[in-house]
Amino acid sequence: MLGSVTLVIFFLAIVFVVQTVKVVPQQHAWVVERLGKYHATLAPGLNIVVPFIDRVAYKHILKEIPLDVPPQVCITKDNTQLQVDGILYFQITDPMRASYGSSNYIAAITQLAQTTLRSVIGKMELDKTFEERDHINTAIVSAIDESAENWGVKVLRYEIKDLTPPKEILHAMQAQITAEREKRALIAASEGRKQEQINIATGEREAAIARSEGEKQASINRAQGQAAAILAIAEASAEAIRKTAAAIQQPGGTDAVNLKVAEQYVDAFGKLAKTNNSIIVPANLSDMGGLIATALQVVKQQK
């Protein structure tokens, strides 16, 4: 009998300790009610409550929680159906409000995200919805966060996972993209041909300029060469004349000139006679000496 009483007392002691001592994990918050009324929020760690009077009514996780928003069909400004799938990230900041502000804050956030998304998408055209995802995410977070404050919830961000237009629109968009790419390809090809023609024309112009410059320089070089040759010949002739004149002034120079003139006369007459089939004979061969004497007289006068 005594053993049974001891066992009952030990069991009651264990129950009393369990009901009195509450250990709250990190990043958790427990809401305690006393006699059915909110009493306190237990922080992480060891907490003492009054057994059978206080009870843990709600347990909340204070970590960031991802919430998958179900896909829904939205109508854009240009009356195009668009299926949107997104995910919402939120965090409980006030456990008391999260317990008593809404009967189901998760369902409330989900519904509010869907209605806000439809409203934002309805103000945009289809092409803009693909370009302005950041604007859509920001608008949804701003709208939800204002209402969720009363529920003790902080909406951190909203991300669109997928935007799916109807198949007909996808085909039309694909055709448009293909046409745009073909257009860009044609423009690029035409620009390439244009640049090619410009390069060819520029090359031909530079080549012509180079050829003309080369011809100009060649003409200058030829002219300078001819001038130099003429000058050299003139200088050589002048030098020969000077040397001849100097040689004539020497003793015996006059006799040498007489002999040279006679030889050249005879040689020139011989060449003249050979230029035709007919033989040219002077009218008076006896006058040969007179002709030579005349030539010598010219030389003396020049001297």
Side-chain angles (χ1 to χ4, degrees), residues 251-269:
T254 303
D255 296 338
V257 170
N258 294 337
L259 179 61
K260 186 67 176 177
V261 170
E263 290 178 353
Q264 290 181 351
Y265 179 82
V266 173
D267 183 66
F269 184 80

Side-chain angles (χ1 to χ4, degrees), residues 6 9 12 37-38 52-53 60 88 139 165 231 259 284:
T6 302
I9 293 174
L12 291 175
K37 183 180 179 181
Y38 172 76
F52 307 108
I53 297 178
H60 299 289
L88 184 70
L231 180 61
L259 179 61
N284 189 0

